Amino acid sequence: MFTPYLALLLAFGVWPIVVAAITSFEPSILNPGGGPLNYLVVLQDFRFLPALINVGIFLAMYVPAMLIVVALMSLLLDTVQGRWNLPLRLTYLVPASLTGATAVLVWYFLLEPTLSPYQDALAALGITQGTQIWQAQNLGWIFVLMAFFTGAGNWIVVQYGSLQSIPDDILEAARIDGANAVQIAWQIKLPLIKKYLVYMGILVFAAGLQVFVEPQLISASVYPGLAANWSLNQLAYTFAFQQNNLGGAAALSLMLLVVCVIAAVFVIFRTDFFDGIGVKRK
């Protein structure tokens, strides 16, 4: 059973990492000697620290917003039974179908005062020109909005599925003991789906750390240069395809991978992720 997965893991997971590791030591225009100095060249690049700060701010807003809102909305969805449950689940999935370039285009029209269906509301706030919104200091929350609305719906449905795995006798016992809906949600349901939320948090963090599409498309289309090298992944793209520095791009990509792995291992071993029961024994 494990063989197909192992083969795919080696072919599309381990081997690309090995190739990237070898490439990260290759000579480049900026570092003709190659070797570990490629990593230092990346860290000393004048665009690295601003990109790191941008991604850090993005993650500080994006990850908590996803975890809190998804957990809350999935708990609310779990309370809705009957004929409205299915339409609500489909409603959550609709925004998730707008990803990548489509999501960027939709949000551009929503936030562009001259095109937006909410231009009256924007005018009431004194916003009549796109340049009032599309400014460098606003890019963080704009990209968070884009990423949140394209990803939250899927995770709400996934976490709703995890709530359905809770045995009915546990919930019924809590009701017999006098627990109300809030107490059941907070003290019973959330602890029992905690490992699923941890899993979601790891993937959301990894996706946020590698944010690329939103700033790249905005910077390459409607507002040229506005978000150039805004994220670390964009900087790796610039190294690889605009500066012919594959060593630097591979080095930066591997650094992102290491951060993801360390964060995932830390979270997994600080929680009961591998505990089969799901709640800690007293």
Side-chain angles (χ1 to χ4, degrees):
M1 285 181 61
F2 186 67
T3 302
Y5 170 76
L6 181 61
L8 293 173
L9 177 65
L10 292 174
F12 301 108
V14 176
W15 180 241
I17 293 174
V18 173
V19 173
I22 296 172
T23 305
S24 69
F25 293 100
E26 290 183 349
S28 66
I29 296 176
L30 296 178
N31 177 32
L37 192 58
N38 278 339
Y39 290 83
L40 185 60
V41 169
V42 170
L43 295 175
Q44 291 179 335
D45 190 279
F46 70 96
R47 297 159 295 187
F48 178 80
L49 184 58
L52 180 64
I53 294 173
N54 290 335
V55 173
I57 294 173
F58 177 85
L59 289 172
M61 292 188 288
Y62 178 56
V63 177
M66 285 289 286
L67 288 172
I68 294 172
V69 176
V70 167
L72 179 61
M73 295 305 294
S74 60
L75 287 170
L76 290 175
L77 180 61
D78 189 49
T79 64
V80 179
Q81 301 299 330
R83 63 177 181 175
W84 292 108
N85 186 277
L86 180 59
L88 279 176
R89 278 184 282 163
L90 292 174
T91 302
Y92 287 128
L93 288 176
V94 169
S97 64
L98 304 175
T99 59
T102 307
V104 173
L105 185 63
V106 168
W107 276 100
Y108 169 70
F109 277 98
L110 287 176
L111 296 176
E112 182 63 38
T114 57
L115 303 171
S116 174
Y118 307 111
Q119 56 183 282
D120 291 337
L122 292 173
L125 296 173
I127 301 173
T128 57
Q129 299 295 324
T131 52
Q132 294 176 264
I133 291 181
W134 297 98
Q135 299 179 6
Q137 63 268 27
N138 295 333
L139 293 178
W141 66 263
I142 291 175
F143 296 148
V144 168
L145 281 177
M146 292 179 182
F148 176 83
F149 281 99
T150 56
N154 273 337
W155 281 113
I156 290 172
V157 176
V158 169
Q159 297 303 342
Y160 169 78
S162 69
L163 287 167
Q164 299 307 296
S165 67
I166 300 176
D168 290 336
D169 54 346
I170 294 179
L171 302 178
E172 186 60 27
R175 295 189 188 97
I176 293 175
D177 288 342
N180 57 37
V182 175
Q183 290 172 321
I184 291 175
W186 183 254
Q187 298 179 5
I188 304 295
K189 293 181 178 179
L190 274 182
L192 288 173
I193 67 168
K194 188 172 70 174
K195 61 175 60 178
Y196 301 102
L197 293 173
V198 170
Y199 171 72
M200 169 189 155
I202 292 171
L203 295 187
V204 166
F205 175 83
L209 186 64
Q210 302 171 68
V211 59
F212 176 80
V213 173
E214 293 86 354
Q216 184 70 14
L217 290 180
I218 288 295
S219 186
S221 57
V222 289
Y223 289 100
L226 177 63
N229 298 312
W230 187 88
S231 73
L232 294 170
N233 244 0
Q234 283 182 281
L235 184 55
Y237 177 87
T238 299
F239 281 142
F241 301 108
Q242 296 181 8
Q243 296 184 345
N244 196 26
N245 183 4
L246 288 178
L252 181 51
S253 300
L254 285 177
M255 285 191 276
L256 291 177
L257 174 65
V258 169
V259 171
C260 285
V261 171
I262 291 175
V265 170
F266 176 79
V267 171
I268 286 173
F269 284 99
R270 292 289 294 179
T271 64
D272 58 354
F273 189 78
F274 288 125
D275 189 342
I277 296 177
V279 291
K280 292 181 178 177
R281 293 184 176 91
K282 301 293 184 184

